[in-house]
Amino acid sequence: MRNKLILFVTVLVSFLLQCTVVQYFAIGSIVPNLLIILCVSMGIMRGKRSGMFLGFFVGLLADLFFGSVFGFYALIYMYVGYFSGCAYQVCYDDDMKVHLLLVAAFDLLHNFAVYALQFLLRGRLGLFTYLKRIIIPEMLYTVLIAIFMYKVYYYINHRMMKPIRKESESIWVLK
């Protein structure tokens, strides 16, 4: 119960930071995506199931406040949490290289999905302009912020939450 409460507060704080404080640090109207950082971080540190449920909840919040189609962001963030949770069994929590690579990849895929389903279907075909002005700068900015935010999420996961037994879900231990 304590883990779920701390995770809920972490989601709310990250979402409020995304909506308010981060907007003041926009560079050319580009802001980092803290919600992808949160989904990837908790997926890597807590596993597929936790990452998937956290991503779905974060996506529902994003749909309620930002989305034009209900369920679009919930589906995207759910997949981000699930597929980053696949790295739970094969990488260590304190290894930031995998984390940064996943944040960059999922931010790129997130922005391509937003482009394809919200701009391309409306007849706006400026992919390279969108790629050059929005997708690549946001990906780089998100990866830069992920370096600092991962340390915060790592501290929350290892100091405030009850640890998950990694040995019981390891692929190397026979069941």
Side-chain angles (χ1 to χ4, degrees):
M1 183 66 185
R2 180 178 178 218
N3 287 351
K4 292 178 183 175
L5 182 65
I6 291 173
L7 203 55
F8 179 73
V9 169
T10 305
V11 167
L12 283 181
V13 168
S14 296
F15 185 74
L16 289 174
L17 285 174
Q18 178 75 35
C19 294
T20 57
V21 175
V22 174
Q23 303 299 326
Y24 291 113
F25 297 108
I27 299 174
S29 75
I30 302 296
V31 294
N33 196 337
L34 296 180
L35 303 178
I36 285 193
I37 298 170
L38 175 66
C39 290
V40 169
S41 300
M42 290 302 160
I44 288 174
M45 289 187 267
R46 312 276 308 163
K48 291 183 209 175
R49 187 174 180 190
S50 181
M52 181 177 63
F53 286 123
L54 178 104
F56 183 72
F57 182 68
V58 165
L60 282 180
L61 282 175
D63 278 331
L64 286 174
F65 289 96
F66 305 129
S68 58
V69 178
F70 193 73
F72 175 69
Y73 289 115
L75 187 65
I76 289 176
Y77 286 119
M78 183 179 70
Y79 283 137
V80 167
Y82 180 79
F83 287 121
S84 63
C86 291
Y88 170 73
Q89 295 178 342
V90 294
C91 73
Y92 295 107
D93 292 347
D94 54 353
D95 185 23
M96 286 189 61
K97 294 182 294 283
V98 174
H99 176 262
L100 295 177
L101 181 70
L102 287 176
V103 166
F106 285 127
D107 194 336
L108 189 69
L109 290 174
H110 169 265
N111 283 324
F112 271 122
V114 168
Y115 170 77
L117 296 174
Q118 293 186 351
F119 292 107
L120 186 64
L121 293 178
R122 292 184 190 169
R124 297 180 184 171
L125 302 175
L127 173 64
F128 293 110
T129 305
Y130 190 75
L131 184 70
K132 184 175 74 173
R133 292 188 180 171
I134 295 175
I135 294 177
I136 299 297
E138 181 181 327
M139 182 185 70
L140 294 175
Y141 199 14
T142 302
V143 168
L144 180 69
I145 297 299
I147 294 170
F148 304 107
M149 291 303 294
Y150 185 72
K151 293 178 183 180
V152 172
Y153 296 141
Y154 183 82
Y155 177 80
I156 290 171
N157 188 44
H158 288 283
R159 298 283 190 256
M160 302 176 89
M161 299 173 90
K162 195 184 316 179
I164 297 175
R165 290 188 174 206
K166 200 160 192 171
E167 297 87 25
S168 65
E169 295 185 9
S170 176
I171 59 174
W172 305 111
V173 177
L174 296 175
K175 296 178 183 177

